Amino acid sequence: MIFALTLILICQLAGEVVVRGSGLPVPGPVLGMVLLLGILWLRDRLRAAVAAAWGGGALEATGKGLLAHLSLLFVPAGVGIIQRLDVFAASGVALAASLVFSTIAALLATVLTFILTARWFGAEGAEP
Amino acid sequence: MKEQTFALWVYLSRTPLLWLTVTLIAYLAADLVSAATNRHPLANPVLHAIWFIGAVLVATATPYATYFEGAQFVHFLLGPAIVALAIPLYEHRGTVARAAVPMLAALIVGSVVATASAILIAKAFGAPHAVLIALAPKSVTAGVAMGITEALGGDPALTAVLVILTGIIGAIVVTPLMNLIGVRDFRARGFAAGLASHGIGTARAFQVNELAGIFAGIAMGLNALLTAILVPFALALLAR
């Protein structure tokens, strides 16, 4: 697990370094994700050579353990609402209306575009 | 006795230990309720953990900065979790590659609608310009959205709150909405959840279906890129 966590953190660190150094409008962790993808791809090409260090699915277990409780990770930032209660008192109706209707609009626009394009380009299927 | 209790409270309320533990307990309790209701959208664990902890902080007059000293250990894991999205993504790479064209189209349309509609609706209700800046990147994952707002001279802390609220609203609405319009393609459902409501929508998508979760994660990452480019133009165009 420590090996897996270290590898994940190295990817994130490398992502942050590249982003800060180059001024790309990409979040560091997203670049880290791309890097980890590359490492996974390489790993499967070199499986025999690194099998000993890899400890049978430890990376998968650690990564999926982290993702299983993704919700938890948003709690600390969300509690920050207690610092901004004054803004909600002043503009609460505008914010509530905007957040609710804009989120519904974005969900509908995205899902309908996805489905129609998939139909056009014959990329349908993949339903279980 | 009373004095001792007070001294203990003064000590504990300043250590990271107390607020880290409170965060985990509140989340575990909220998650238990969510599991007991068969993952009902309204039993969203983020929503219920947040109001509970917020109420405890207000009742004990604890400043958010003190709370965050403990909670930062959880907050820190947001970055590694995004990196870890590579793992399920890699496992399903074939399915993902086949959906490249629909994903790209849905990304562009969804990102424009998410940004423009947020600005226009809030403006119609008379929200001040400073609030519009903080609101514009609301569909993007917290760290990136705060960066966008900061670069434009807005209030990143307000953005963080609006981002989390957007995530909760999306996570609550997405399942009933998709069932209502009869969409059964879990790739499309997940992609919409991740685009409109970032990581909280992605967490919701993983609760419903693994493939939906993977597509939500991709949408979250791609939308972070596009929105960072889009928001300055959208504000200049729509928020005057």
Side-chain angles (χ1 to χ4, degrees):
Chain A
M1 189 189 105
I2 298 299
F3 173 75
L5 211 53
T6 310
L7 185 64
I8 288 172
L9 287 182
I10 288 173
C11 289
Q12 190 186 347
L13 185 64
E16 295 285 4
V17 167
V18 171
V19 167
R20 301 281 155 186
S22 65
L24 283 170
V26 192
V30 171
L31 217 58
M33 178 180 85
V34 175
L35 186 60
L36 186 57
L37 264 181
I39 290 176
L40 287 168
W41 182 83
L42 265 181
R43 178 190 68 174
D44 286 357
R45 299 286 163 301
L46 309 167
R47 191 171 264 295
V50 290
W54 218 266
L59 181 62
E60 276 78 2
T62 305
K64 287 187 174 177
L66 213 49
L67 290 176
H69 288 286
L70 192 56
S71 300
L72 165 67
L73 313 184
F74 290 95
V75 171
V79 176
I81 194 169
I82 64 165
Q83 283 184 302
R84 290 294 180 277
L85 291 175
D86 53 330
V87 179
F88 282 84
S91 309
V93 178
L95 288 176
S98 170
L99 292 182
V100 170
F101 292 115
S102 167
T103 303
I104 291 175
L107 283 170
L108 289 176
T110 309
V111 85
L112 294 177
T113 309
F114 191 109
I115 295 220
L116 290 178
T117 326
R119 222 169 266 169
W120 265 328
F121 286 86
E124 276 178 286
E127 283 113 311
Chain B
M1 179 63 207
K2 204 175 171 190
E3 223 161 77
Q4 264 184 342
T5 316
F6 183 69
L8 180 67
W9 165 253
V10 168
Y11 167 71
L12 278 182
S13 64
R14 285 192 199 149
T15 64
L17 174 66
L18 177 68
W19 297 115
L20 178 58
T21 314
V22 167
T23 303
L24 291 177
I25 291 174
Y27 172 76
L28 281 178
D31 192 51
L32 268 180
V33 173
S34 166
T37 58
N38 213 0
R39 302 289 171 200
H40 191 279
L42 281 176
N44 186 279
V46 186
L47 171 65
H48 296 292
I50 286 174
W51 73 252
F52 176 78
I53 299 168
V56 171
L57 294 181
V58 170
T60 58
T62 305
Y64 180 69
T66 307
Y67 165 77
F68 197 77
E69 265 173 43
Q72 62 177 325
F73 301 107
V74 169
H75 182 77
F76 170 77
L77 290 174
L78 272 173
I82 290 176
V83 177
L85 281 172
I87 294 162
L89 181 57
Y90 180 72
E91 283 175 2
H92 292 264
R93 58 194 177 279
T95 313
V96 171
R98 274 194 295 281
V101 175
M103 283 198 299
L104 203 64
L107 167 70
I108 294 167
V109 175
S111 194
V112 169
V113 169
T115 310
S117 65
I119 297 173
L120 289 176
I121 295 170
K123 198 183 164 198
F125 277 88
H129 190 74
V131 171
L132 295 184
I133 298 178
L135 182 66
K138 65 151 184 32
S139 285
V140 180
T141 190
V144 180
M146 289 167 78
I148 295 173
T149 304
E150 205 164 14
L152 296 170
D155 174 6
L158 178 60
T159 295
V161 171
L162 295 173
V163 164
I164 306 272
L165 289 176
T166 301
I168 292 171
I169 292 167
I172 289 174
V173 166
V174 63
T175 307
L177 185 68
M178 295 304 155
N179 289 342
L180 187 73
I181 61 171
V183 172
R184 272 182 308 239
D185 185 337
F186 275 106
R187 302 172 305 168
R189 288 173 69 130
F191 198 83
L195 187 134
S197 49
H198 55 92
I200 301 181
T202 303
R204 170 65 190 170
F206 269 115
Q207 278 183 350
V208 175
N209 178 290
E210 197 191 34
L211 196 62
I214 291 156
F215 274 81
I218 300 168
M220 171 173 75
L222 291 177
N223 193 31
L225 300 185
L226 188 55
T227 304
I229 300 165
L230 210 62
V231 161
F233 295 108
L235 280 171
L237 214 67
L238 305 172
R240 272 179 304 174

